[in-house]
Amino acid sequence: MPDVSLSSDLPSSTQADWEASAAAVLRKARRLGDDDADSRVWDKLTLRTLDGVAITPLGTPALTADVPSAGLPGQAPFVRGSVAARADKAWDVRALHADPDAKVAAEAVLTDLENGVTSLWLALGRGGLALTDLPAVLERVLLDLAPVVLDAPAEPVAAADAFLAVLTDRGLTAAPGTSLGADPIGAAVREGASDLDAAAIDALVAQIAERATTHDLGALVVDASAAHDAGASDVQELAYSLAVGAAYLRSLVAAGLDVDDAARRISFRYAATDDQFVTIAKLRAARRLWNRVTELSGVTEEARAQEQHAVTSRPMMSRYDPYVNMLRTTVAAFAAGVGGATSVTVLPFDTPLGIPEAFGRRIARNTSSLLISEAHVAEVTDPAGGAHAVERLTEDLARAAWAELGTIESEGGLPGAGLAGLRARIAQTVTERTAQVATRRRPITGLTEFPNLAETLPARRPHPEGAVSAISYGGDFEALRDTPADTPVFLATMGSIASHTARATFAINLLAAGGVATQVAGATAGVDDVLAAYAAQPVVVLAAADPVYAEWGAELIEALRGAGARWIVVAGKPLEGSDANIAVGTDLLAFHHTLREHLAQPGAATRPQDGDQA
């Protein structure tokens, strides 16, 4: 048989070759010692999620030796997709509309549908559109062509009736994919409920089920983004979705539906983040897990495929430097599409600032359009399938989520006592994530990295009371930026520009991340030059190369003390006589809180004028 290897003319490499090459780079960066074995690169380069799941730096066949078959797209266990091939080689582009101004919302809905959006997600009631405005908002929408998913946490039955009345008045049959979108458990979780009323949930599900079956619509949405927005990890989000999905399956069967029909009337919503490989694996794992839950529930294979709606993460977005959100949501949308989501919603970049405007909505819908029509991301079903690293990550997330589901069920399940334990574990995740953001192990561009104190944020109308909220990953830093320090820090740059630039830039960005401006001394040849630029600021940060610190750092600290400096910080290793130091890995939150205490002491200087701030 002829050699048909695509790499037959290329030199072959072994795993040992890769380890040697990677080790050479790490040794050059001083992350690996000369005496360390090359194989240690695995420890150095393997990342871990907040759940402790490993993200390998290199996929090898050995990684997937114990991973069960992913099957084929459209077939159980549905890892490779809920359908064999996407219709029109595209995912459903779904736009969220929550503007309480009915006239503005109606125009925005039409603009979206005329420019690439293929389905609507409507937030209704408190925090969104008034139910009485629904006929006007949907007046010119072809409801038999464009699917609509309702989202009315406070009044799902009333919202369903309002929507069905629109269909009846117009004599229309809703487009396939339309759902009444009820999620009573998710609504209670978002409201912070400490426990859930199982009887009330069953009664509400029965009312929704009756309307859904009469009109052949979807009934329930398991909105796992409710857990994600509260700070849940990927594994916790997956486990939450399975627990809620199983609860809804039981409720629908109790309401009189057969188990297959019940499964078909439940869809799932997951958050897609800019951690692209984890998002891809999470969506693939979710389908495998739901297949197993429904298989154990007696659902036939045809009805076990999970309908997935992916929405770009709210917590990952930032109010500051909001245009970076375009990059985050692009990566998240790419991951959602590659991961096999049925529908994808890209939240506008200006969502954290208030109600999105036309430009934000345009960029959001065009993100999917470009990925589909120009990058052709949807041309291939499950393009990540077969990649050893992705298959390993998919399996590890699935196993961890199944174990977490077991914990939730052992504690009482959902709805039930299992919620309290899950909330406690999510709180631990939030604490760990906050620590990683504070030390910049999980950097946020434009907020904890490369902040711009002089930026002017675009103005937006505020979100209405009751709108969906989320725990922002950078919320602590946004709070600091909301109240910038009135007093600048004096940056004592020692020596030539070339010698101090690296540490000075590091210090300026670190200070700006907490809303603190700097006044820079510039190039200085000695203590007298620094003192000439010093204006009695209470806090001073020294920035220099190590040899310069050794030469006249101690002398400068003593001189600055005499000139009125009350708190002296060194960029780099601590110096004798200094009060603190900042370096890679510094807890920025703790540092900034202490810094502000010193800046607020009586006698502090005022903020620098325009042109003085670096």
Side-chain angles (χ1 to χ4, degrees), residues 384-599:
H388 296 295
V390 173
E391 298 291 1
R392 177 75 266 169
L393 185 55
T394 299
E395 180 65 12
D396 289 347
L397 286 175
R399 291 183 182 183
W402 192 257
E404 175 65 17
L405 173 63
T407 300
I408 294 172
E409 292 296 318
S410 69
E411 293 174 341
L414 297 178
L419 179 60
L422 177 60
R423 281 194 188 281
R425 289 188 291 279
I426 290 175
Q428 294 173 353
T429 298
V430 171
T431 298
E432 174 57 26
R433 184 187 291 111
T434 299
Q436 292 186 11
V437 171
T439 55
R440 297 200 284 191
R441 285 182 290 158
R442 189 178 289 268
I444 302 175
T445 302
L447 189 62
T448 66
E449 296 277 9
F450 313 113
N452 177 14
L453 286 183
E455 72 175 310
T456 300
L457 296 178
R460 297 292 184 266
R461 288 175 294 145
H463 290 292
E465 183 179 355
V468 170
S469 61
I471 297 177
S472 170
Y473 294 159
D476 291 318
F477 287 92
E478 289 174 337
L480 289 171
R481 292 285 298 277
D482 289 343
T483 55
D486 292 326
T487 306
V489 164
F490 178 69
L491 186 62
T493 45
M494 304 166 57
S496 66
I497 292 176
S499 67
H500 71 233
T501 290
R503 278 180 170 154
T505 302
F506 171 81
I508 290 169
N509 279 286
L510 184 148
L511 293 166
V516 179
T518 50
Q519 186 172 344
V520 184
T524 57
V527 172
D528 290 342
D529 286 346
V530 175
L531 292 180
Y534 179 58
Q537 290 92 340
V539 176
V540 175
V541 174
L542 274 56
D546 288 340
V548 178
Y549 281 148
E551 183 179 352
W552 50 284
E555 181 185 358
L556 178 60
I557 290 173
E558 183 178 355
L560 287 168
R561 295 276 190 210
R566 294 196 291 267
W567 201 54
I568 299 177
V569 181
V570 176
K573 298 178 181 179
L575 286 179
E576 184 178 351
S578 64
D579 299 298
N581 75 300
I582 51 176
V584 174
T586 293
D587 184 331
L588 267 64
L589 286 178
F591 172 79
H592 272 285
H593 288 308
T594 303
L595 169 64
R596 291 204 176 206
E597 292 176 3
H598 290 283
L599 288 176

Side-chain angles (χ1 to χ4, degrees), residues 97 102-112 114 137 140 361:
H97 287 273
K103 184 177 180 180
V104 173
E107 291 301 321
V109 162
L110 284 182
T111 299
D112 276 350
E114 291 169 353
V137 172
R140 290 181 287 172
R361 293 194 303 272

